[in-house]
Amino acid sequence: MPSGSSRPLRYFSTSQPSQRDPIPATFSDERLPHLTQQSAVHQISISKKAVTSRRALAIGHVVFSNPKPLTLIREHSLKKGDVLAVARVAGIMAVKKTGDIIPLAHGGVGVEGCEVEVEVVGSHESDLIDHDACVDSKLENVSAATALDRKVDRAKWLTRGIGSHGGIRIAVSVSTTAKTGIEMEALTGVAGAGLTVIDMCKAVDRHLKLEGIEVVGKSGGKSGAWGVYSENEDN
C-alpha cells in the first residue's frame, strides 16, 4: 500500500468488459477497390482469386535537356560509370521491392521473370534526318523486354526520337504465377531504372525528366490479355 493512502492498490480490473461489436468485414467500393464503401483505405483481399500465369510490359523514357548526357553515354565517359548497365540492375531491384514501396500493393509476389531493356535514343531532329541513327541498337536486335512481342515493333516506340537532345527509353517485362500482379511491379521497375539514369546524369543535366511511364500490355488474371498481349489485335 502506498504511503499516505488508505485504499489498497488494485493490480487488475474487476469491471466487466464492454460488449462491443466485432470489427466489421470490409467491402471494396466498386469504383475504387482500394477504398471501402465508407471511403476508408484498405488492402484488397485476394484470398478468393485464382492463381494464374501473369505478365506485364511497362515503358517510359528519360528526356535530356542538353546534348551532354547523350554524348557522354555514347562515349562511355560519364564519371559514375555505365549508365545503361546500372539502370538495368536498378530496374530489377525495384521490381522485387514493389511491395515495400507501394503501400497497398500485395507484398511477396513471386517474380519468376524480369527483363529490363534500357536504350539510348537520339532526338526528334536526328530521327527526321536518319531514321536508323536515332537509336543505338535496332529493335530487331533487342534481346529483352521489347522483343517479347512484335506488336511493340509495329508501334516503333523505340525508333522515335526523344525531345530536342535525345534520352533513354526503358521497357520492363515481368512475369509471375500468382493471385495478383504484375502491373505495379513492371511500372516500379521502369521508375527505378529511370531515376537511376537521372541520378547518374544529373551532374551534367539539371533538368532531366522521367516521362511516359505506362503499362502497354498485360495477360493473365480476371481481366485477361490486353494491350500488346491482346489476342484480338492484328498481328
Side-chain angles (χ1 to χ4, degrees):
M1 181 183 303
S3 175
S5 175
S6 59
R7 298 180 62 184
L9 182 65
R10 292 189 301 175
Y11 293 96
F12 58 90
S13 174
T14 59
S15 61
Q16 293 293 324
S18 60
Q19 299 297 322
R20 296 180 179 178
D21 293 332
I23 298 175
T26 58
F27 296 94
S28 296
D29 187 298
E30 292 182 357
R31 298 165 297 177
L32 296 172
H34 283 296
L35 295 179
T36 66
Q37 294 174 349
Q38 292 75 36
S39 297
V41 176
H42 75 135
Q43 190 169 49
I44 301 170
S45 172
I46 59 172
S47 59
K48 295 183 179 180
K49 284 190 173 184
V51 175
T52 62
S53 178
R54 299 164 176 262
R55 60 177 175 168
L57 176 63
I59 62 173
H61 57 270
V62 176
V63 183
F64 299 148
S65 70
N66 69 64
K68 288 184 180 180
L70 187 66
T71 300
L72 293 174
I73 291 173
R74 284 177 166 167
E75 294 177 351
H76 305 284
S77 300
L78 270 176
K79 291 183 179 181
K80 286 194 173 184
D82 189 338
V83 176
L84 306 186
V86 177
R88 290 186 186 102
V89 175
I92 295 172
M93 292 177 65
V95 165
K96 295 190 289 185
K97 287 290 186 180
T98 299
D100 296 332
I101 300 171
I102 309 301
L104 299 182
H106 289 85
V109 174
V111 176
E112 296 177 349
C114 177
E115 299 180 66
V116 178
E117 189 58 38
V118 183
E119 295 288 335
V120 179
V121 181
S123 66
H124 287 312
E125 286 76 6
S126 65
D127 187 19
L128 294 173
I129 296 171
D130 186 347
H131 178 77
D132 291 333
C134 100
V135 62
D136 284 2
S137 62
K138 296 181 182 180
L139 188 60
E140 292 80 1
N141 297 325
V142 175
S143 60
T146 54
L148 291 179
D149 199 302
R150 291 297 96 191
K151 293 170 185 175
V152 179
D153 186 13
R154 181 185 63 187
K156 295 182 180 179
W157 71 276
L158 257 181
T159 55
R160 291 199 300 266
I162 297 178
S164 300
H165 302 287
I168 300 290
R169 196 87 70 185
I170 303 163
V172 177
S173 171
V174 188
S175 60
T176 186
T177 303
K179 293 183 176 182
T180 189
I182 192 97
E183 309 99 304
M184 290 310 303
E185 282 75 11
L187 289 167
T188 304
V190 173
L195 290 173
T196 297
V197 171
I198 290 176
D199 175 60
M200 296 186 71
C201 297
K202 67 182 186 295
V204 295
D205 190 341
R206 296 181 178 180
H207 304 287
L208 295 159
K209 295 180 181 179
L210 177 57
E211 298 180 345
I213 300 179
E214 62 175 317
V215 176
V216 293
K218 183 200 170 187
S219 65
K222 185 178 179 180
S223 60
W226 59 269
V228 297
Y229 298 129
S230 175
E231 297 177 356
N232 295 324
E233 291 193 7
D234 296 333
N235 294 323

